[in-house]
Structures are given as structure tokens and as C-alpha cells.
Amino acid sequence: MAHHHVPSLEDTKTTLDGLGGKVFAVSAAVGVIGLVVSIGLGLAEGDDLRHFGYSYLVNFAFFLAIALGALFFLPIQYVTKASWIIVVRRLVEVMAASLPVLALLAVPVVVLAGRIYGWAAPEAGSDPLLAHKVAFLSPRWFTIRWAIYFGLWTWLSFTFWRRSLAQDATGDLRHTHKLENFSGFALLVYALSVSLAGMDLLMSVDYIWFSTIFGVYFWAGGLVSFFAVLTLVTMGLQKTGRLTHIVSPEHFHDYGKLMFAFTFFWAYIAFSQYMLYWYANIPEETGWYLLRSGQGWGKVGMVVLFAAFLLPFAGLISRYAKRNRKMLAFWAAWIVVAQWINLYWVVMPEYSHDFVFSPMDVTLFFGIGGTWLAAITRLAMGRSLVPMKDPRLDDSLRFENA
Amino acid sequence: MSPAAHDPLNNTVDDPTRPNALILGDNDFTSLTVKVSDIVLERKTPRAWYVAFTVTAGLTGVLFLMIGYLFIKGVGVWGLNNPVSWGWAIVNFVFWVGIGHAGTLISAILFLLRQKWRTSINRFAEAMTIFAVICAGIFPAIHVGRIWVVYWLFPLPNYQAMWPNFRSPLLWDVFAVGTYATVSLLFWYTGMVPDLATLRDRARGRMQQIIYGILAVGWRGSHRHWHRYEKAYLILAGLATPLVLSVHSVVSFDFATAQIPGWHTTIFPPYFVAGAVFSGFAMVGTLLIPARQWFGLKEFITLHHLENMNKIILATGSMVGFAYATEFFIAWYSGNPNESFAFVNRAFGPYSWAYWIMVSCNVITPQLFWIKKVRTTVPVMWAMYIFVNIGMWFERFVITVTSLHRDFLPSSWGYYDPTVVDILTFVGSFGLFFTLVLLFIRFLPMVAMAEVKTVMPIADAHSGERRAVGDYHGDIPAASPEGGGA
């Protein structure tokens, strides 16, 4: 095959420049206004912020899962010595490095635990099913665990972030070596902490219910949203004339493959959990699904089945869809919404057995999402959007799907 | 780094500026073809092959004797009892199916992930997959008790309108394993067609020419042939990818849909898949290491290939360990006394010996692969593969037997011991497996010649110049003939 002109970093803009300040200001404003309005809406409900707490949990879990998806994707690139992705790796690093900001955003979940989590409610103490694990599901240990999770995640994400930036300056290959060695270990720490955190955050809302795969379910859903957000962010930057030429349809094709593959993987995990509990039909296990299949929530469950699995699966299967910019953007945005609905369906039935939807759910999405976007913009400002001196950058620029 | 840099057969040096060479030595297309096809066509069959074949064929005889005995006497000749009504037959079935997973993972998933190093080992792994599935298929077929109605496993139209129970995971197994065997066989054969044509063209005996000629289905290597071949290969890879997940997931359903503590848990499907890949890679390694040694294939199946396999073993072994830990945690968290009893009983009950063999072999020893020296030292890694093989058999034993032998009614608790027939049947299945492997080595090309050629530096029109990734990047820049060294 004839070699095309190999794009170089000179062909395009690789910094945010003036755009950074604008995006930061707007998203921070959206974030703050969103949060303030949400608190107002929450207080207006007059339920001691109970509804607010659940709504907050949905949106917090959504953005946390995306950042954790980024934190997974980084070490995977290093252990596999992948090169195609290098040209956009900085975007992944930025998303992962936003985890300390998400630690701040986790504070309301911990503070409002008594309104969200059954186990933290004052009247729960008398339940013998809880007494057995009260040492684990207690406000104190819950707080300590979240401190540990975020401590670990911050450490992991900043190790990648710092070394990658340092390599920008010097091009020192030792950073690549160090991170390749670090990544295997990072994945181990990641798997244990994220699985347990998923259970803490979402499974323990119903403290009776349990599922060994739940941590994987949380992680897989987040990974799908992460790939979708990465696609949208890359496209957004290209719209403003950044990263053009160097991120080619070849890279977007791979984004599409990853979205497709992990949509399927997420559905496989969801099916494994659902089918096994449905089949064995043990009350303590099916209760969780029973609640989510009746009174309005059942319809949401069907929406999740179609929106988060069947439709994007069919939509992304063809090569054409993955290489067509508009279609890929459509499905990426679709997946973001679908995964959000999935989390809504996981959390909200615990708040109300009947279907509910309030403006707060949307304002909190913008509140937390705006804050998060402000954080990643701030991190990216004044830095190159491409790891300029990565030894595999050249391969990434030349990348073509075979 | 220093000793490795001087060893021409060591291509495991980590240098991010330059990928390791996939093929070592001074090889070109011709030398590759000669070295691989001569094993089949020209070289005299080593005496050791005949010795090994005699032994394995004898063991295969033992297998069929035991099956015959079983058919005459009934399943009472096995160690099954009440409450342990599922013994070695299901253990062996899951063990062999699991081993079969490495082939599809290498041929399908690693293909889609553009892992070019797979080309040297995929043929061997795929062959092993098919043989393992053959061994696996025997056990559910013979364990049914009334062997004369074994065809009821299949939904055959019949005038009595008798159908199998479609709600039974055992029936799903029939479909899952059947599909898997079919697709694996197609994949293996399709990939082998160009190589069979090479054998046909190089064969000197008339008989060889005719047989390889028939098998090569008229392959002439025209552009149109290659075009269709590549299309078919990609489609088969796409079809086989979900099969890697589905087969062992369905096998896990045999256990997980039941309400038995220790079986019924939602992590089973992905955990079984990880375990299957883990055991499959260990078995591929167990066979590849002697094969590359005895047949002089070290330039094609390099240390780099083995190191990559060891990394996959480390990753999947850790996933298995992660699943064990999660099961234990949730057994406690659930507050279900039966569930926690099942797990405590596994670790500290009458079968604790089996449990700790499993944990030592599957979780603890593979962690040594964190050390590069262990990953790249051939005798050490071979010993590790043996550990993994043992550990993964014991995993299935632990899951099957420990959950059954102490059920909900303490008065019916029991202890399961295999009989001589159990043991000989299992040993005999190894005989069958190795017999097929030996036949494969003798009569078919062990390394996918046509595919390996595409990753050789001279396959690149711009040989000597770096080539884009995403395409085969097994290039050693021509300037450094010492091959990937620093």
C-alpha cells in the first residue's frame, strides 16, 4: 500500500490556548449554577434532601465511572505497548487525573449516606441481616473506604499524569519503561478497588442484595461511557481546529470498535447477573430485579435493554458506521445517555417504588458534569494535548487499520 | 539487559522505540517454508515420536476400554455417591473445554486486536483447541447413564414429539460446545488451506500429493483466492470472538443456575472464561516448549512469544484469584449461612487439601510471572504451566465436589473418592489428546507459514524502513541484523 503523507504535530493546533479559559469559565459556571439550583430544588422537596441524595448518587456515579474508565484505559495501553492511541492519550490522562476533583464531589454522597443508604438509616440497626455486616456497612468504615479508594486512584492517575508530562519536556524513555512496569501493578490495585467501590456506591443502596459480578457491571458500564465521551471530546476539539489531521478516521474507527465491543461486554455482564438470578429464583436475589421490573421501572428496564445494548450494538456493527463521523458522534452521544439511564434504573427504584423523574436529575447532571468538565479543562490548559515526545507517537500518527 | 542483548535468540528486550522482532535468525520466505514443511515432508520421523505414539495410543486404548466397561456395567463403576452425583466426568469435561479456549482467543481475539505475534503460535493452539474439545465432548456423552438414548441430547424431530428440556443448561452446553467445535474447526481448516497447498506443491510422494491436494481444495494462491481467504478469515474471527465468551459462560451455567451454595453466583460466567483462557495458555505452552525444542522452531516461536503468553497467564490467573476473593467476600456479605459454610468448608473442610492445591497452583505460583526472569526462562515457565494445568483441574474438582458433598441435610453428608475406572478414564483422555497432537505434528504444518510470512520484514514493500503500526510491525530495521537487541 502506498504510504500517504504522514501527518505531523505542526499540521494542527495541539494546545487549548484561548479556548481553555472560555470552556473553563462556562463549564464552571454551569457546574456551580447546576449544583446551587439542585440544592434549592432538593430543599424544596422538604424531605431532608433524601430525593436530592439519590439523584446526586446517580450523577456522581455516572461521572466517576467515566473517570475510572480512563484510569483503566491508561495502564492497558502501557501493558500492551499499544501505539495507535498515543496521539490522544493526553485526553485520557486528563480525564483520569480529574479523580481528585471527583473525590471532592464524593463528599455529599458520604455526608448524605444516612438518607441514601438503608444501612446508614437510624432504624436499620434492628435488622438481623444488617447486624452481621454492620462493621463493614457503617458510616465510619464507608468514609474510610472512600478515602482509601480516592487515595489509591489519585496516586495511580497522577503517576501517569506526571510522568507523561515530564516526558513532554525531556523525551526521556525511562518514563515509558517505568510506566510499563507500573501498569501491571496499577491494574491489580484498580481491579480490587473499583470492584469494591462499585459495590459500596451502588449495590449497598439495597443492603440486603448482593451479587459477585456487581463491581464488574459498574466498571463495564463506565468503560462504555468513557469511550463515548473520549470520542465526543476528540470530535469537539477537532471542531475547534485542534488535533485535526493527526487524529484520523483510523483512530475514530478504533473508538467505534471499542464502543461496540464494550457495549457487548457490558450487556454480557448484565445478562449474566440477570439470567442467573432469574433462573434460580431465590427471593433474596430476585427482589432487586422485581423492584426494577414493576410499576414503571420495568419500562425503564426495557429502555435500558434497547438503548444501552440492542440499538447501539446494531448501529455500530458496520465498518461504515464506525468510520462515518456523524454516525459515530450520534452513537457516542446515544451511549452516554443510555448508560446514564442504566444508572438511573439501578439507583432510583430504591428511592421510590414508582417511577419518578425530576428536574433535579437534569440539573445535577449539569452541576456535576460542568464541574468535572471545568476540572479537566483546567488540567489541560497550558499543556500540549498530545504527548509530544512519546517514543511511539510516530506509530500513532501513521496508524492505519489493516 | 546486557546478557540478553548478546543472545541472538533473545528478543524480549523492552525498547519502546523499536518493537521486538517476531521472527529471528536469517530467515526469508523460502527458509521458513523449508523449515516448517520439511518436518512433515522430508525429515525422518524421529524414533521418539514412535515411542511417544505407542504410549499415547496405548492410553487411548485404555480410555476406550474404560468406556466400554462403563457401558456394560453402568455409572456405578465410578465413585459417584449420594450426595456427590457429579464427579470426575463433569470435572474432566470442564477441564478439557477450558483448555480449548486458548485456540480461539489467539486466533480470533488477538487477531482483532492486531497482535501480530499470534501468527507463530495460532496454528498449534487451534489444533490443540479442537483436540481438547474432542476430549471434552466424550465425558457428557458417556455420563448420561442410558447411553443408548444419548441422541436425545439433540433436538431431533420424532413422532412422539419428545424434546429435550430447552430450559436445561446441559442442553445449552450441547449447542454451545457444538457451535464452538464447528467454528474452531472451520477456522483452523480455513487458515490452513494455503499451507496445505504448500505441502501439496512440495510433496514428492504421490500419495502425499493426492492427500494434501484434496485437502488444499484447489488453492492456487491467486489474488482472488487471497482476497476471499482474508474476508473469510476476518468473518470467522468476528464469529469466533463471542464464542470465546459464550462457551465457557454456558459451561458455568451448568453450575451457576442451580441453587447450590458455591455454584450459584453471578461472577461465574466471566470467571470461568478467564480460567479457561488461563488453562488453555498453560496447555499451549506445555506443548509448544518441547515442540519448538525438538523440531528446531525457536526462530519462529521465540522467547518473545512465550513471554507474551506468560503475561496473559499472569493476567488471567490474577482474574481467577480476584474471582475467588470476590466469592469469599460476598459469601460473607450476603449473610447467608449456607453460602458462607460452603466456602469455609472448601478452605478448611475435608477437601481443604484440594482447595489449597488449587489456590497454590492458580493464584500463588503464577504471580511469579511478575518477574521478567521467570517469564523468560524456559524450564521455569514450563514448570509453571504444569502447575497451572494441575491447579485448573483441581479448581473444577473443588467447585463440583465440595459444593455437593455437604449439602443442606447434614445426615446425608458424604465423601467422594474416585475409583480406578475414574482415574483410568481421565488418564486415557490424555492419551487421546496427545495421540491427536502427535498426529498433528507429524502430518500437518505446525506453524502457520502463510501467516508468519506476513509479519516477516521482507513482507514489507519498504523493507528496511519502519512500517506503520496497525499493519504488521515485525520489522527489524535492516541496519541491525543482530535482531532486536539493544
Side-chain angles (χ1 to χ4, degrees), chain A residues 124-309:
Chain A
S126 55
D127 188 340
L129 278 171
L130 182 62
H132 159 77
K133 54 190 167 192
V134 78
F136 184 78
L137 290 182
S138 66
R140 185 205 293 168
W141 281 106
F142 186 74
T143 314
I144 291 174
R145 281 200 301 278
W146 278 104
I148 294 173
Y149 298 147
F150 274 109
L152 291 172
W153 298 337
T154 303
W155 168 53
L156 296 182
S157 62
F158 269 71
T159 305
F160 288 106
W161 175 241
R162 286 221 185 94
R163 285 205 177 268
S164 179
L165 288 180
Q167 195 173 47
D168 269 8
T170 61
D172 191 343
L173 291 181
R174 265 181 312 177
H175 296 300
T176 305
H177 277 297
K178 282 268 183 209
L179 288 178
E180 280 175 359
N181 288 331
F182 178 72
S183 288
F185 172 72
L187 284 169
L188 202 66
V189 173
Y190 178 92
L192 293 170
S193 58
V194 171
S195 172
L196 204 58
M199 292 179 180
D200 263 329
L201 192 66
L202 300 176
M203 190 175 87
S204 81
V205 176
D206 175 354
Y207 63 83
I208 296 172
W209 191 72
F210 52 88
S211 167
T212 41
I213 211 175
F214 195 87
V216 181
Y217 178 69
F218 168 69
W219 163 76
L223 206 52
V224 184
S225 332
F226 159 71
F227 289 127
V229 169
L230 181 62
T231 308
L232 294 173
V233 167
T234 315
M235 286 180 177
L237 286 168
Q238 287 200 331
K239 263 229 142 106
T240 65
R242 286 158 183 85
L243 304 186
T244 49
H245 306 296
I246 57 171
V247 182
S248 69
E250 304 292 336
H251 296 97
F252 283 109
H253 188 180
D254 268 17
Y255 282 173
K257 290 183 206 170
L258 287 166
M259 275 192 274
F260 174 75
F262 280 92
T263 291
F264 183 79
F265 182 78
W266 170 84
Y268 160 69
I269 298 296
F271 173 78
S272 298
Q273 179 172 277
Y274 178 83
M275 196 281 284
L276 290 173
Y277 277 176
W278 168 80
Y279 196 106
N281 205 12
I282 299 172
E284 67 199 28
E285 294 171 352
T286 51
W288 195 85
Y289 280 110
L290 208 59
L291 177 58
R292 283 157 183 80
S293 43
Q295 297 165 353
W297 292 113
K299 288 187 185 114
V300 181
M302 291 311 280
V303 170
V304 171
L305 170 66
F306 279 88
F309 172 47

Side-chain angles (χ1 to χ4, degrees), chain B residues 251-368:
Chain B
V251 169
S252 84
F253 293 162
D254 293 347
F255 300 94
T257 52
Q259 295 176 337
I260 309 282
W263 287 7
H264 176 62
T265 183
T266 49
I267 208 166
F268 253 40
Y271 146 53
F272 263 51
V273 173
V277 171
F278 179 56
S279 67
F281 269 79
M283 187 58 93
V284 175
T286 310
L287 301 172
L288 266 184
I289 285 178
R292 75 195 268 276
Q293 177 80 33
W294 292 335
F295 295 99
L297 296 172
K298 284 186 184 173
E299 294 165 347
F300 308 121
I301 302 163
T302 67
L303 217 47
H304 177 56
H305 294 93
L306 298 175
E307 192 193 3
N308 280 352
M309 287 174 58
N310 295 339
K311 285 180 181 170
I312 291 181
I313 288 176
L314 174 61
T316 47
S318 303
M319 287 181 207
V320 167
F322 169 75
Y324 294 163
T326 309
E327 279 186 317
F328 246 94
F329 170 69
I330 292 290
W332 169 80
Y333 179 92
S334 72
N336 181 336
N338 293 308
E339 197 69 38
S340 37
F341 171 78
F343 282 93
V344 171
N345 183 49
R346 268 183 193 177
F348 303 107
Y351 283 108
S352 58
W353 57 274
Y355 181 83
W356 292 106
I357 289 177
M358 166 188 103
V359 171
S360 318
C361 293
N362 287 353
V363 184
I364 300 171
T365 48
Q367 299 302 318
L368 290 173

Side-chain angles (χ1 to χ4, degrees), chain B residues 65-270:
Chain B
L65 272 179
M66 288 303 116
I67 293 174
Y69 183 61
L70 173 82
F71 287 175
I72 293 165
K73 289 283 184 180
V75 286
V77 298
W78 287 347
L80 302 176
N81 60 27
N82 207 345
V84 185
S85 49
W86 254 9
W88 277 33
I90 194 84
V91 175
N92 298 342
F93 162 66
V94 182
F95 173 75
W96 281 118
V97 173
I99 287 193
H101 272 59
T104 351
L105 186 99
I106 292 170
S107 50
I109 294 190
L110 294 188
F111 177 71
L112 296 183
L113 292 176
R114 299 191 289 263
Q115 298 296 307
K116 307 306 179 194
W117 59 278
R118 63 181 268 294
T119 52
S120 292
I121 57 170
N122 70 342
R123 172 71 44 75
F124 206 100
E126 288 167 29
M128 186 211 70
T129 288
I130 289 156
F131 307 148
V133 172
I134 290 171
C135 291
I138 290 175
F139 288 97
I142 62 172
H143 97 303
V144 293
R146 293 174 211 168
I147 191 68
W148 53 92
V149 290
V150 70
Y151 64 90
W152 284 6
L153 280 170
F154 298 97
L156 300 173
N158 60 84
Y159 69 94
Q160 288 177 308
M162 292 259 292
W163 295 100
N165 182 0
F166 286 103
R167 282 173 291 188
S168 164
L170 297 179
L171 182 73
W172 308 344
D173 260 349
V174 174
F175 293 122
V177 178
T179 315
Y180 188 65
T182 312
V183 174
S184 306
L185 191 64
L186 277 175
F187 208 163
W188 184 55
Y189 183 67
T190 307
M192 204 154 47
V193 166
D195 283 3
L196 289 168
T198 305
L199 291 186
R200 173 199 63 199
D201 297 343
R202 294 178 60 81
R204 287 189 292 183
R206 188 72 193 127
M207 207 55 205
Q208 287 176 325
Q209 286 172 344
I210 291 173
I211 291 172
Y212 289 122
I214 291 170
L215 290 175
V217 290
W219 179 270
R220 289 290 178 275
S222 71
H223 272 299
R224 190 175 294 189
H225 285 177
W226 278 111
H227 180 72
R228 289 184 182 157
Y229 168 88
E230 295 287 348
K231 276 251 150 71
Y233 204 95
L234 184 60
I235 290 170
L236 282 170
L239 288 175
T241 296
L243 283 177
V244 178
L245 294 182
S246 72
V247 183
H248 231 58
S249 297
V250 171
V251 169
S252 84
F253 293 162
D254 293 347
F255 300 94
T257 52
Q259 295 176 337
I260 309 282
W263 287 7
H264 176 62
T265 183
T266 49
I267 208 166
F268 253 40

